[in-house]
Amino acid sequence: MTTHTTFTVEGMSCASCVGRVERALKAVPGVAGAEVNLIAGTASVDYSDQTDALKLADVLRNAGYPATGAEAELDVEGMTCASCVGRVERALKAVPGVTSAEVNLATGSARIGYTSGTTSPPALAEIVTAAGYAARPATGSAPATDRQADEAAKLRRSLVLSAALAFPVIVLAMGTHMVPAFHHLVMATLGEVNSWRIQFVLTAAILLGPGFLFFRHGIPALLRGAPEMNSLVALGSLAAFAYSSVVTFAPGLVPEAARGVYFEAAAAIVTLILLGRMLEARAKGQAGEAIRRLIGLRPDTARVERDGVVKEVAVEDLRAGDIVRLAPGERVAVDGIVTAGHGWIDESMLTGEPAPVEKAEGATVTGGTVNGQSALSYRVTATGSDTVLARIIAMVADAQGAKLPVQALVDRITLWFVPAVMTLAAIAFLVWLIFGPAPALTHALVAGISVLIIACPCAMGLATPVSILVGTGRGAELGLLFRRGDALQRLSEAGIVAFDKTGTLTEGRPELTDLIAAYGIDADEVLRLTASAEAQSEHPLARAVLAAAEARGLALSPAEAATALPGRGLSARVEGRDILVGNARALSEAGIDTTGLTGDVARLATEARTPVFVAIDGKLAALLAVADPIKPVAKAAIAALHAMGVKTAMISGDTRATAEAIAKTLGIDHVAAEVLPDGKVEALGALRGEGTTAFVGDGINDAPALAAADIGIAMGTGTDVAIEAAEVVLMTGDPGAVADAVRLSRATMKNIRQNLFWAFGYNVVLIPVAAGALYPLNGMLLSPMLAAGAMALSSIFVVTNALRLRRAGPWRNTG
């Protein structure tokens, strides 16, 4: 038998590489053929049972051309508790070539990392299905919230049928105990045996109908030696039903004192747990509502100009370069640039800020935002998965599917939880049977079934992922995007937040405030030559100088040999004259004395203005001062962080005096000044003694620091490079969103701790109660029916508690 697989291969750059890869593969015994495609970077191999894909991947790695990693996502059905999650993960991790597997109970999904060519999404789905949980490769067409809505609808139908059948069973069983007149009526008309037989028929209909799902999943899992939540429910309800059936149809097999039926317990167990599952599915659907709302922001059609005609087309058919007509009140279809019109667009879905944003020709518009009262036209710049909205949805989905480090403890415990519960149930049964008062068998049965039913690994499995689901979704609504779920936990632990200054704490649009000419040179002439030298520079200070020259109507000359001096300034040749623009370090390295302007430099620095020296032909010509206005909300943002006990720092390339003046104005704790772009990582390292460090930036030169920090926070108004390097993205340029992100992460982690405390505390306290620990004190023995109700309520509590995060924030607007 021949198997075919295709590897994606790294490192191939020429025909020689292709030859080496092919020879390495063909030399493996059992390989029938190998074809390598340099352009596609793939290696297609046919091989027999003498080898396998994992060995071939090792051959590629040893040859110096390793197979790349790949990712797959599966939709998994039938998972009900943390034990299910653990079994699916173990089944996946046992597959050769799989490098990682994360399973999320709240979203019903599995994310797998594997070496390309060693397996495939369909093969992984088969592995999970064989483990007892129906799985298929995710298509992305049906979001988790849709699946949960379908699941809730199915459970609702099952619940209605189960409740209808259980009602007469409970009335016959409990009514005869609680109402003497009703007891006499039943005995006089039906008789006890006939009453039991009716209960038997109705309960059997429940177990074989709506309750059969517990047996369909639980019994196979039990037979595989991997019991889970369904196994506990199946065993508990089946034990109650079987014992009651024996009493009904073969009473001679049971001591007379123990001849009681528990059909109502079996019926109520199934009905109550179906109720819990249905409410849980509905709540999980609400928890993931953020994704549904984001997807709903995308309109279905757009009016586009093509061949001189405006026609309505599906959004999927839009192409980059299309001109789209946007009517008043209409939602923007995809990302673009305004080509005609002037108006205001509501971008609150993107930034969380309620105020509309002005749009004119050349302004960018984002898919999903809502146009105001003016008609606009825009040119499409991105479609499909490249749009900002699609990227936001992908970020939120990735974060919601992630596992937090705190989940590792839960995973270790739940690995043994269900087997431990079954053992405790068996022990409780035997202890009551041997040492219990008469009727011992009845007491033993009640205790054993109650222990099985009351245990709730569902709550433990949901405690963390459902809070992540709601917390990250709420963050998206507030314009706070957690690109990875674990960033939630790390940000909540932040001890210090370091800010890049320009564009983060300040507007990022410096203005020229002072020009002090030296040696009798005309100020306008200095500005003209300086602006000419800076004309090709993208530096913010250069733009300030150019704007000032333009405001004075100065004619610029072309610059020659313009050379950027990173962290220092710029040199150029204008009209045959050598121009040097930069900080004191730049002039000092050029041998130019700046001490004559020391007093002016000190004064400007105390006013938070950045001094810039200009030298012409090797002589000091002028001192310029540039100020970058501080964002109005920056001071409040720093105060909000301090109120949470988080220290703050600012990393800046400005002179120390200027940086310290800004820091004093804002109330920042630590200042790292005169830092070169490549020195930000080192400056961050010096702050690590203060605790977990977050860094906030927005520029390309911030990317290394964003990646090096414990938590990188990028302003969404910044560059794509910075956003890709960060773990948290703030879709607004407001530094106050940093405080909001910290608060949301802390609220989410607090919610997770509450859920875990409840889930573990519930089981620790109520399992002994179910086993009869209170009986010696007050004669109390928990009914299996009450145990089922408590178990259902436990899961509902966890999910409902997590749903409180949907109302979290925005804190700054409420207080």
Side-chain angles (χ1 to χ4, degrees), residues 249-519:
F249 297 104
L253 298 177
V254 180
E256 186 173 352
R259 290 175 189 170
V261 296
Y262 293 93
F263 289 119
E264 85 284 357
I269 285 167
V270 170
T271 304
L272 287 170
I273 293 175
L274 283 173
L275 172 63
R277 292 272 176 93
M278 188 270 288
L279 293 174
E280 184 184 306
R282 284 179 56 188
K284 285 194 289 186
Q286 294 170 2
E289 190 65 25
I291 287 280
R292 190 197 294 272
R293 280 200 291 267
L294 287 171
I295 293 173
L297 293 174
R298 298 186 292 205
D300 297 324
T301 61
R303 292 178 302 117
V304 63
E305 298 178 18
R306 286 182 182 167
D307 302 324
V309 179
V310 177
K311 54 185 178 181
E312 193 165 289
V313 302
V315 169
E316 291 77 11
D317 295 334
L318 289 175
R319 302 186 297 265
D322 279 342
I323 301 298
V324 176
R325 297 279 186 90
L326 188 63
E330 189 178 9
R331 201 173 283 278
V332 180
V334 291
D335 300 354
I337 296 175
V338 176
T339 56
H342 175 274
W344 300 79
I345 285 183
D346 178 1
E347 295 186 342
S348 57
M349 54 71 59
L350 184 71
T351 64
E353 298 293 335
V357 179
E358 186 176 10
K359 300 294 179 181
E361 189 174 338
T364 59
V365 293
T366 305
T369 55
V370 181
N371 189 22
Q373 301 303 310
S374 302
L376 301 173
S377 294
Y378 64 92
R379 186 179 71 256
V380 175
T381 57
T383 61
S385 61
D386 295 327
T387 63
V388 170
L389 181 59
R391 289 166 62 194
I392 289 174
I393 292 171
M395 283 185 194
V396 176
D398 284 347
Q400 290 183 342
K403 276 196 173 183
L404 268 61
V406 70
Q407 183 69 23
L409 171 64
V410 181
D411 291 344
R412 286 196 298 272
I413 292 173
T414 53
L415 176 65
W416 301 102
F417 182 81
V418 173
V421 168
M422 294 177 68
T423 303
L424 288 172
I427 292 172
F429 179 83
L430 291 173
V431 168
W432 276 98
L433 191 61
I434 297 170
F435 302 105
L441 181 59
T442 299
H443 288 147
L445 186 68
V446 168
I449 293 174
S450 296
V451 170
L452 287 174
I453 297 303
I454 205 165
C456 190
C458 311
M460 291 191 290
L462 289 169
T464 298
V466 77
S467 294
I468 297 173
L469 191 68
V470 183
T472 52
R474 181 56 178 157
E477 293 172 352
L478 297 174
L480 316 172
L481 300 182
F482 293 86
R483 296 188 66 217
R484 290 192 290 273
D486 57 354
L488 267 171
Q489 182 168 343
R490 291 208 303 281
L491 185 58
S492 71
E493 299 165 351
I496 185 166
V497 175
F499 291 86
D500 170 59
K501 177 181 77 69
T502 305
T504 304
L505 294 172
T506 64
E507 296 288 357
R509 298 188 300 273
E511 302 169 354
L512 185 68
T513 58
D514 299 84
L515 196 163
I516 303 169
Y519 304 113

Side-chain angles (χ1 to χ4, degrees), residues 189-227:
T189 53
L190 294 176
E192 186 175 56
V193 174
N194 285 333
S195 172
W196 288 354
R197 287 171 179 169
I198 292 171
Q199 294 176 47
F200 166 83
V201 171
L202 294 173
T203 305
I206 292 173
L207 298 183
L208 294 174
F212 191 69
L213 68 91
F214 299 114
F215 297 92
R216 187 173 69 246
H217 294 296
I219 299 303
L222 191 61
L223 296 175
R224 288 193 301 270

Side-chain angles (χ1 to χ4, degrees), residues 103-189:
V103 178
N104 191 303
L105 178 61
T107 58
S109 63
R111 186 177 300 158
I112 307 102
Y114 62 96
T115 303
S116 68
T118 59
T119 186
S120 65
L124 293 168
E126 288 179 10
I127 294 292
V128 176
T129 301
Y133 304 92
R136 61 183 180 276
T139 61
S141 58
T145 47
D146 290 343
R147 295 196 302 274
Q148 285 152 357
D150 292 341
E151 180 188 358
K154 291 177 184 176
L155 287 168
R156 189 182 303 111
R157 291 191 293 270
S158 297
L159 172 64
V160 169
L161 177 58
S162 183
L165 293 170
F167 180 73
V169 175
I170 294 172
V171 169
L172 284 172
M174 305 302 293
T176 54
H177 287 297
M178 299 175 66
V179 182
F182 184 70
H183 170 76
H184 295 313
L185 176 64
V186 170
M187 293 301 105
T189 53

Side-chain angles (χ1 to χ4, degrees), residues 23-32 50-52 55-56 59:
R23 286 193 296 275
L25 290 170
K26 289 178 179 177
V28 177
V31 170
Q50 287 181 264
T51 187
D52 57 45
K55 290 178 182 176
L56 295 174
V59 168

